[in-house]
């Protein structure tokens, strides 16, 4: 049960070592670890085809939100999420503009009240893996509600 | 309650970590136990926020997030030794990784019934979260955020709503989703434009898509009732997903080369359910070409 083009062999081997399982307090009776579960995935029932209403409720409570996308991903591409955020109908509070990491353009972002849409340039689906520096900067900035 | 869960030594760890970590189980209902791994901040655990991280799937483990994305250490290719991640998110936050729902990774249910849905996952995660703060009461006053990726686009907001409206005393401040699935329709619709404007489709296919799926200035690539439109969209999706490209990162090589998993096939069927009858019979669905002859 492995997503295509993702090599998870090393972490799978490490997590399945007996001494690692013991260190992590995993019962010996449990089956081997795998990155994805066929048992769960095959029987999973999707109830939400869009989470627009959920976002609107959360944002109306004043919660802070960040939707970010590595812009080379095709499983969940940035354009779809940009349209999703725009479709929330929340007033635009900043221009669509660049953000900088290590003196380079790291992507683009736009604020809509308490929600921000942000791209990470050149990163794929797993942003913290493929753009770790920019991802950490983005993460810290969001936590402190700072300026990207 | 957290003392027995503390991880004091890890095989393959040749460095001394500047943070503490615990691994164990959180109860998510009767007989349902979710595996968690909690690492404190490298800065000031008492003041830094607590961040929950959820990977997607549905049905994939958040330990992938820990061990290959934003965790404090990753596994070397030898599968035996670890190296420090200088860009770990626990530089600024206490990070909680939760394997969810039961049946994923080392999480389990006594009855081994792993059929679930979005609402049940949110409910289970919320219970597990309450279990976490009972186990770690010192962190209840810290700011709390929920982060997720991919199908976390569904997990994160649905759990966030329960946290925001529930009775548990959690200092919830916000949420974030990375490359998330927020709308199936917009994800499908936008992919056609993404593919065309990244040069994946030729002008012939683009013309056929427009001729068969668009009308009066608007296009519907998501759920058109036109069979001819479905055929064209199916061809486009096959180029994206089945021609040998790395769908998770367009410009990276495709690693692993393992065959398609049942989970992956299920995910594809769910994502592009309007095209599932034809997706597997398209002209691109045959065996992958060798790297030598890829065009």
């Amino acid at each position: 049960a492995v997503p295509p083009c993702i090599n998870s062999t090393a972490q799978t081997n490490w997590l399945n070592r007996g001494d690692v399982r013991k260190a992590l307090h995993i019962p010996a009776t449990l089956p081997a670890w795998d990155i994805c579960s066929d048992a769960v995935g095959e029987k999973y029932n999707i109830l939400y085809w869009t989470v627009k209403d959920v976002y609107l409720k959360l944002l109306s409570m004043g919660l802070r939100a960040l939707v970010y996308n590595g812009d080379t991903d095709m499983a969940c591409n940035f354009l779809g999420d940009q349209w999703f955020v725009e479709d929330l109908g929340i007033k635009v509070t900043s221009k669509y503009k660049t953000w900088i990491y290590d003196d380079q353009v790291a992507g683009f972002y736009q604020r809509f009240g308490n929600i921000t849409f942000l791209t990470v340039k050149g990163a794929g689906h797993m942003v913290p893996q493929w753009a770790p520096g920019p991802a950490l900067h983005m993460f810290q900035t969001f936590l402190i509600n700072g300026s990207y | 309650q957290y003392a027995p869960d503390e991880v004091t030594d890890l095989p393959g760890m040749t460095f001394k970590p500047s943070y503490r970590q615990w691994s164990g189980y959180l109860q998510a209902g009767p007989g349902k136990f979710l595996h968690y791994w909690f690492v404190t901040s490298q800065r000031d655990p008492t003041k830094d926020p607590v961040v929950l991280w959820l990977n997607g799937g549905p049905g994939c483990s958040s330990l992938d997030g820990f061990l290959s994305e934003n965790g404090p250490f990753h596994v070397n290719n030898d599968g035996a030794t670890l190296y420090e991640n200088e860009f770990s998110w626990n530089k600024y936050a206490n990070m909680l990784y939760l394997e969810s729902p039961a049946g994923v990774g080392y999480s389990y249910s006594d009855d081994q019934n792993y059929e679930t849905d979005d609402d049940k996952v949110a409910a289970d995660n919320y219970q597990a979260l309450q279990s976490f703060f009972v186990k770690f009461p010192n962190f209840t006053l810290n700011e709390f955020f929920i982060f997720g990726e991919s199908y976390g686009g569904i997990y994160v907001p649905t759990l966030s709503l329960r946290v925001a409206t529930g009775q548990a005393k959690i200092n919830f401040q916000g949420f974030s989703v990375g490359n998330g699935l927020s709308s199936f329709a917009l994800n499908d619709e936008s992919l056609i434009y993404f593919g065309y404007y990244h040069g994946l489709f030729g002008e012939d296919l683009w013309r056929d898509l427009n001729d068969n799926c668009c009308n009066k200035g608007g296009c519907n690539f998501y759920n058109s009732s036109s069979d001819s439109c479905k055929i064209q969209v199916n061809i486009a999706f096959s180029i994206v997903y089945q021609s040998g490209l790395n769908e998770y990162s367009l410009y990276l090589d495709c690693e692993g080369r393992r065959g398609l998993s049942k989970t992956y096939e299920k995910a594809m069927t769910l994502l592009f359910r309007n095209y599932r009858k034809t997706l597997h019979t398209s002209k691109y669905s045959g065996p992958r070409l060798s790297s030598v002859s890829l065009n």
Side-chain angles (χ1 to χ4, degrees), chain B residues 208-225:
Chain B
D208 290 342
L209 284 163
N210 279 270
D211 287 349
N212 291 288
C213 305
C214 305
N215 190 23
K216 296 177 182 175
C219 300
N220 179 1
F221 301 119
Y222 171 60
N223 59 356
S224 170
S225 57

Side-chain angles (χ1 to χ4, degrees), chain A residues 2 4 7 11 13 15 18 25 28 49 58 68-71 77-78 85 89 94 102-103 111 122 125 134 144-146:
Chain A
V2 173
N7 188 350
Q11 68 195 62
N13 289 344
L15 279 168
H25 312 116
W49 301 103
L58 290 165
Y68 67 91
N69 285 72
D71 67 6
N77 74 84
F78 78 93
V85 173
S94 87
D102 200 18
D103 293 328
R111 291 185 189 273
H125 194 71
I144 62 173
N145 202 17

Side-chain angles (χ1 to χ4, degrees), chain B residues 37 67 74 80 96 160 165 173 198 278:
Chain B
W37 197 340
L67 294 173
H74 294 167
L96 171 62
S160 294
T165 58
Q173 297 293 312
H198 281 78
T278 51

Side-chain angles (χ1 to χ4, degrees), chain A residues 1-7 10-11 13-17 19-21 23-27 30-31 33-51 54-55 57-58 61 63-81 83-84 101 124-130 132-133 135-136 138-140 142-143, chain B residues 4-6 9 11 23 25 35 37 58-61 64 67-69 75-76 79-80 82 87-89 92 99 101-103 105-106 108 115-119 121 145 147 149-151 155 157 160-161 164-165 172-180 182-184 186-187 190-191 193-194 200 241 246-252 254-255 258 261-264 266 273:
Chain A
V2 173
C5 301
I6 303 297
N7 188 350
Q11 68 195 62
N13 289 344
W14 184 76
L15 279 168
N16 280 312
R17 287 174 49 150
D19 52 359
V20 171
R21 287 175 59 124
L24 295 177
H25 312 116
I26 307 302
L30 290 183
W33 185 91
D34 208 347
I35 188 170
C36 296
S37 164
D38 286 342
V40 172
E42 285 175 7
K43 295 180 180 174
Y44 195 89
N45 295 306
I46 290 175
L47 303 178
Y48 294 84
W49 301 103
T50 173
V51 284
V54 183
Y55 268 70
K57 286 178 187 169
L58 290 165
M61 295 174 189
L63 291 164
R64 195 154 76 238
L66 169 67
V67 173
Y68 67 91
N69 285 72
D71 67 6
T72 67
D73 177 32
M74 298 190 289
C76 297
N77 74 84
F78 78 93
L79 193 57
D81 283 323
W83 289 357
F84 173 80
Y101 174 78
H125 194 71
M126 291 81 165
V127 168
Q129 180 177 356
W130 289 322
L136 182 60
M138 172 198 75
F139 176 69
Q140 187 200 13
F142 174 71
L143 292 183
Chain B
D5 291 350
E6 182 149 21
D9 186 37
S23 167
Y25 285 88
H35 175 232
W37 197 340
C60 295
S61 169
D64 187 49
L67 294 173
S68 61
E69 294 191 65
V75 183
N76 283 311
L82 306 171
F87 300 106
S88 172
W89 286 14
Y92 303 115
E99 293 198 282
Y106 285 136
Y108 66 97
E115 183 170 357
T116 190
D117 61 43
D118 295 331
D119 282 338
V121 170
F145 295 88
F147 272 70
E149 183 179 277
S150 194
Y151 199 79
Y155 290 159
S160 294
L161 191 58
T165 58
F172 187 43
Q173 297 293 312
F175 63 99
S176 176
V177 171
N179 290 79
S182 307
S183 158
F184 283 76
L186 293 178
N187 197 52
S190 58
L191 183 60
Y193 296 93
F194 183 101
L200 306 188
Y241 289 110
N246 184 339
E247 69 192 59
Y248 291 116
S249 191
L250 178 56
Y251 303 112
L252 288 187
C254 182
E255 288 191 65
R258 277 174 62 170
S261 72
K262 290 178 184 174
T263 302
Y264 172 67
K266 173 75 173 176
R273 65 195 185 287

Side-chain angles (χ1 to χ4, degrees), chain B residues 1-290:
Chain B
Q1 292 185 37
Y2 55 72
D5 291 350
E6 182 149 21
V7 177
T8 52
D9 186 37
L10 273 175
M13 182 175 265
T14 56
F15 47 87
K16 185 173 172 57
S18 57
Y19 46 86
R20 296 175 73 185
Q21 54 183 324
W22 292 265
S23 167
Y25 285 88
L26 302 173
Q27 190 145 6
K32 209 179 279 185
F33 301 93
L34 301 186
H35 175 232
Y36 80 94
W37 197 340
F38 180 53
V39 289
T40 59
S41 169
Q42 297 185 39
R43 192 171 56 177
D44 186 349
T46 59
K47 292 179 181 172
D48 286 338
V50 174
V51 173
L52 170 65
W53 173 267
L54 296 169
N55 279 91
C60 295
S61 169
S62 298
L63 296 196
D64 187 49
F66 186 121
L67 294 173
S68 61
E69 294 191 65
N70 53 30
F73 53 84
H74 294 167
V75 183
N76 283 311
N77 287 337
D78 61 11
T81 55
L82 306 171
Y83 66 93
E84 289 185 276
N85 172 22
E86 64 173 306
F87 300 106
S88 172
W89 286 14
N90 84 328
K91 296 259 182 184
Y92 303 115
N94 303 287
M95 296 294 299
L96 171 62
Y97 298 85
L98 187 64
E99 293 198 282
S100 165
V104 173
Y106 285 136
S107 295
Y108 66 97
S109 174
D110 285 340
D111 64 8
Q112 296 188 34
N113 175 13
Y114 296 127
E115 183 170 357
T116 190
D117 61 43
D118 295 331
D119 282 338
K120 287 177 184 168
V121 170
D124 289 352
N125 287 345
Y126 182 50
Q127 279 207 49
L129 207 48
Q130 293 176 77
S131 170
F132 170 80
F133 282 111
V134 168
K135 198 170 253 194
F136 294 88
N138 291 349
F139 290 92
T140 50
L141 295 178
N142 296 49
E143 290 188 333
F144 178 69
F145 295 88
I146 302 175
F147 272 70
E149 183 179 277
S150 194
Y151 199 79
I154 308 292
Y155 290 159
V156 169
T158 51
L159 172 61
S160 294
L161 191 58
R162 287 179 186 261
V163 173
T165 58
Q167 299 299 311
K169 289 183 178 176
I170 297 173
N171 187 10
F172 187 43
Q173 297 293 312
F175 63 99
S176 176
V177 171
N179 290 79
L181 189 56
S182 307
S183 158
F184 283 76
L186 293 178
N187 197 52
D188 281 18
E189 196 75 19
S190 58
L191 183 60
I192 298 296
Y193 296 93
F194 183 101
Y196 176 65
Y197 286 105
H198 281 78
L200 306 188
F201 313 148
E203 292 298 342
D204 289 348
L205 176 55
W206 182 242
R207 186 192 61 242
D208 290 342
L209 284 163
N210 279 270
D211 287 349
N212 291 288
C213 305
C214 305
N215 190 23
K216 296 177 182 175
C219 300
N220 179 1
F221 301 119
Y222 171 60
N223 59 356
S224 170
S225 57
S226 161
D227 286 340
S228 51
C229 173
K230 287 182 181 180
I231 289 170
Q232 302 308 320
V233 174
N234 177 55
I235 293 171
F237 283 169
S238 296
I239 292 171
V240 170
Y241 289 110
Q242 292 179 293
S243 68
L245 295 170
N246 184 339
E247 69 192 59
Y248 291 116
S249 191
L250 178 56
Y251 303 112
L252 288 187
D253 289 341
C254 182
E255 288 191 65
R257 294 181 181 274
R258 277 174 62 170
L260 296 183
S261 72
K262 290 178 184 174
T263 302
Y264 172 67
E265 288 186 19
K266 173 75 173 176
M268 287 298 106
T269 306
L270 290 169
L271 271 173
F272 307 108
R273 65 195 185 287
N274 295 327
Y275 306 97
R276 60 189 167 202
K277 286 179 184 171
T278 51
L279 189 59
H280 297 290
T281 58
S282 80
K283 64 178 180 179
Y284 291 97
S285 65
R288 289 187 179 177
L289 301 172
S290 74

